[in-house]
Amino acid sequence: MRRSHLLDLSAFTVVAAEGSFTRAAIKLGMSQSALSHAMKALEQRLGVRLLSRTTRSVAATEAGEELLKTLRPAFEGIDAGLAQLGRRSASP
């Protein structure tokens, strides 16, 4: 998997959680435009619409919710593993 694909999947989880490109972009430290382009590119690569966009909100589509069911536990597992590794390195 390409690094950019992993970053796009991670960004997708943030957009879905925040329900807003603006809030997600702030949280991710990137522009709203760059985030929107990344989500469009992700949807094109996967060949399915992941986000339903309106002028006021963003929500995961049915396909997006299916993907989130896989991604959330995977990213949570990575975070937990990194935290555990960090605790190990902090002790002599």
Side-chain angles (χ1 to χ4, degrees):
M1 175 183 300
R2 289 182 164 175
R3 181 175 150 198
S4 63
H5 294 185
L6 187 59
L7 292 173
D8 289 348
L9 290 170
S10 177
F12 166 67
T13 64
V14 176
V15 172
E18 293 295 325
S20 161
F21 277 105
T22 302
R23 288 191 304 268
I26 291 168
K27 193 169 189 176
L28 293 167
M30 61 191 304
S31 73
Q32 182 179 350
S33 176
L35 181 57
S36 178
H37 287 293
M39 293 302 96
K40 286 179 187 176
L42 176 62
E43 290 174 328
Q44 286 178 345
R45 276 195 311 272
L46 298 176
V48 65
R49 191 134 180 107
L50 300 173
L51 296 166
S52 174
R53 301 157 176 87
T54 69
T55 56
R56 296 187 182 258
S57 68
V58 178
T61 62
E62 188 176 327
E65 286 294 337
E66 283 183 42
L67 182 57
L68 286 168
K69 287 179 187 177
T70 301
L71 293 177
R72 284 183 179 138
F75 283 119
E76 288 169 2
I78 291 168
D79 286 341
L82 292 173
Q84 183 178 359
L85 184 61
R87 287 190 297 273
R88 178 177 284 180
S89 68
S91 61

